[in-house]
Amino acid sequence: NFTLIKPDDLVYNSYDKFKRFYTVQKQINFSAYMQNCNETLLRSDIRLRQLLYKRGITRTTARFVKIGVDENKKRWVIPAFKYSTEHSNIILGFEYRPFDFNKNGLTREKGAPTGLAMINSYKPTRKY
């Protein structure tokens, strides 16, 4: 499960370009949308097979990184989290992709970093 941040966790410095995403209400809205989209994906065998076939991303990975689908808007929903050397739960926004993963139609929250490039499946380069 995803743990919602507490107001005390909303720490940033004055140079942080993502600080506008750190309001408690914004995080509540982002978290609810992310959870809903992730749960929708995890209930859809068709979308899970598509995710595995097109991007090599398994159900376990999708659940862990909270990838989801918005069936009403017909798009993949990929959350972008604040970079941290520890587990981060501050959502900076979302990257949206059409169901065919085409880059035409790729959009994201204004100012949010890209998300999908960070979660492509790991493929070892040599066998041991």
Side-chain angles (χ1 to χ4, degrees):
N1 281 334
F2 187 79
T3 306
L4 188 60
I5 59 172
K6 301 179 294 295
D8 293 344
D9 294 332
L10 297 175
V11 177
Y12 58 87
N13 63 45
S14 60
Y15 300 106
D16 195 331
K17 67 181 179 179
F18 300 115
K19 63 186 172 189
R20 71 176 175 278
F21 296 122
Y22 294 179
T23 67
V24 173
Q25 189 58 51
K26 188 74 150 175
Q27 289 298 302
I28 289 169
N29 294 344
F30 278 173
S31 181
Y33 182 64
M34 178 184 69
Q35 285 296 120
N36 184 43
C37 292
N38 182 249
E39 289 168 7
T40 300
L41 170 62
L42 296 177
R43 288 190 305 265
S44 173
D45 289 337
I46 292 170
R47 294 287 178 223
L48 287 167
R49 281 194 301 272
Q50 186 181 15
L51 186 62
L52 182 62
Y53 176 74
K54 292 275 193 178
R55 300 301 280 195
I57 297 172
T58 65
R59 181 183 216 282
T60 301
T61 299
R63 181 179 30 236
F64 182 74
V65 298
K66 301 296 183 190
I67 295 172
V69 292
D70 186 328
E71 292 288 354
N72 294 327
K73 295 182 179 179
K74 299 184 180 358
R75 63 188 185 183
W76 294 99
V77 178
I78 301 114
F81 296 93
K82 181 178 180 181
Y83 176 78
S84 174
T85 56
E86 299 175 2
H87 181 74
S88 176
N89 60 356
I90 297 174
I91 306 166
L92 298 179
F94 300 94
E95 181 175 300
Y96 307 106
R97 292 217 178 198
F99 283 143
D100 65 359
F101 286 103
N102 191 322
K103 288 191 179 186
N104 296 330
L106 180 148
T107 59
R108 59 181 65 96
E109 292 290 321
K110 184 176 180 179
T114 183
L116 195 57
M118 295 181 245
I119 54 172
N120 286 335
S121 64
Y122 169 74
K123 294 181 181 154
T125 55
R126 61 183 175 170
K127 296 180 182 178
Y128 293 94

